[in-house]
Each structure stands twice: as C-alpha cells, then as structure tokens.
Amino acid sequence: MKIRLMSAIICIATGLVQTANAQEAHSRSGIRGGLNVSNLYLKDVTDRNPRYGFHASLFTQVPLIKGVLYLQPELGYSTKGVTARYNLLNNTFRGENSFKLDYLEIPVLATVKVGNFVDIHGGVYGGFLANASTESKSDAGFAATTLNRDNFNSFDYGLSAGLSIYFGKLMLGTRYNYGLRPVAQSDAAKVFLGNAKNSAAQISLGITF
C-alpha cells in the first residue's frame, strides 16, 4: 500500500514539474500593430486634439537572464502629430494647424517576464522622420505658412514603457512613448511648435512566431 502511495505521489509530482517547465517564460518573436493616439504639447493654443493613427513593428527577444529578463529590439513605423488652434501675438494671428509626422522607429527595451503570460517592458526609442506635412487654416483668411519635412528634426528619441499579455500566440499590449527632443528645427516651425516634443499612447494586437 505504501509503495503504491509513493508511486502515485511520484507520478503526480513528476506531472506538476513537467507542467511548470512547460509554462516557464521564454523568448518570443512576432509582429505587433494597432492604434496610436499622439500629441504635441504646445504653448499659445486654445484647443488641442490628438492625432489618431497607427503603428506596426517587428520584435524579438534575446535572453539576458533566462526566464526573467530579456532584451527586446524592434523595428517599426509610427504616425504622430496633433491638431491645434493657435493664438499668437495677443489675438493678432489665430487659426488652426494640423501637424502630421511619420517615423521609422527602433525601440530597444528591457523586458521582465511575469510567468509566461505577462511582459513588462521599458527602455528607449530612436525615430527617423520618414514623412511630414502640415495643414493650416487662418481665421482671417490669409495664406498660412506651409511646413515640410525640412522644417522638422529628422531624428527623434525618447522613453518607452508598456505591458504585453499573451494568449498562446496572440498578444494584447499597451505602451506609452515620451519624446525627449523638440520636434521643430526651423524658425518657422518653432513659431508654432516652440520646444514641443512627441508623445504617443499605443494599443496593440500581435501574433508571435
């Protein structure tokens, strides 16, 4: 009887160990994409609306401490910008500007595994300006200044932090990117943007390979 009991306990323990090993956190690679809600924090504006756009990226994870800590580099594309009503020189110039800035981005993140289902990540990103355009409307009907890619800094960088939850090969995630470099480069752009920096909140769906 005791031998049978011991055999049963050993079988159960072996099964539990195998299940735990199967659930051990591991590295992933995949593709993620979804909604971008971006903004630029401006002075001298009476109303500001975020730009709703998209992001998409490829990612992989390299183990630093297996099962716990991973390096997660990514290569992606992200749309950013804002629409704002401006008020310059004590109501002398009023109107609305829309800034659309699109970036090729390379985040490099440290990812902490919470079991095999949750990733918490934080790090930095660098972005190369791929496209820029503006739409301007003056309340007085005057022709507004048109800005193009040459008016903006071609390189952006900042901080990233977020969370990913995995359901098998499917992923649901959220992230916030906070820019550290002013967007405007030319004097004309600085009139409207000053030292404004990018910010973007993301909601992502993804699939792992």
Side-chain angles (χ1 to χ4, degrees), residues 31-34 36 54-58 74-78 105 202:
I31 184 171
R32 59 185 291 274
N36 246 28
F54 71 93
H55 67 275
S57 65
L58 295 168
E74 299 185 8
L75 176 62
Y77 192 85
S78 180
E105 291 189 340
Q202 299 177 341

Side-chain angles (χ1 to χ4, degrees), residues 9 11 35 45 58-59 61-62 64 68-69 79 97 104 106 114 116 125-127 132 135 142 147 160 171 193 203 208:
I9 292 173
C11 289
L35 175 67
V45 299
L58 295 168
F59 70 91
Q61 295 176 341
V62 180
L64 299 177
V68 179
L69 180 63
T79 63
N97 280 330
L104 179 66
I106 304 176
V114 182
N116 195 35
Y125 75 87
E135 297 177 3
F142 299 125
L147 304 176
S160 293
M171 182 269 285
L193 294 173
I203 298 176
T208 59

Side-chain angles (χ1 to χ4, degrees), residues 84-101:
R85 288 198 57 81
Y86 61 84
N87 184 350
L88 304 175
L89 301 178
N90 295 322
N91 295 323
T92 303
F93 301 101
R94 293 183 298 175
E96 182 178 276
N97 280 330
S98 293
F99 300 93
K100 297 180 179 181
L101 308 172

Side-chain angles (χ1 to χ4, degrees), residues 165-188:
I165 303 174
Y166 293 92
F167 305 91
K169 290 186 176 296
L170 299 179
M171 182 269 285
L172 174 65
T174 183
R175 184 179 297 175
Y176 184 76
N177 295 327
Y178 182 78
L180 298 177
R181 188 181 191 191
V183 170
Q185 182 182 57
S186 69
D187 291 338

Side-chain angles (χ1 to χ4, degrees), residues 38-41 80 103 105 123-127 155-161 176-183 195-201:
S38 59
N39 221 323
L40 290 164
Y41 294 101
K80 298 181 180 182
Y103 291 88
E105 291 189 340
V124 298
Y125 75 87
F155 182 70
D156 184 40
Y157 57 86
L159 305 176
S160 293
Y176 184 76
N177 295 327
Y178 182 78
L180 298 177
R181 188 181 191 191
V183 170
N195 291 320
K197 303 174 182 68
N198 281 311
S199 67

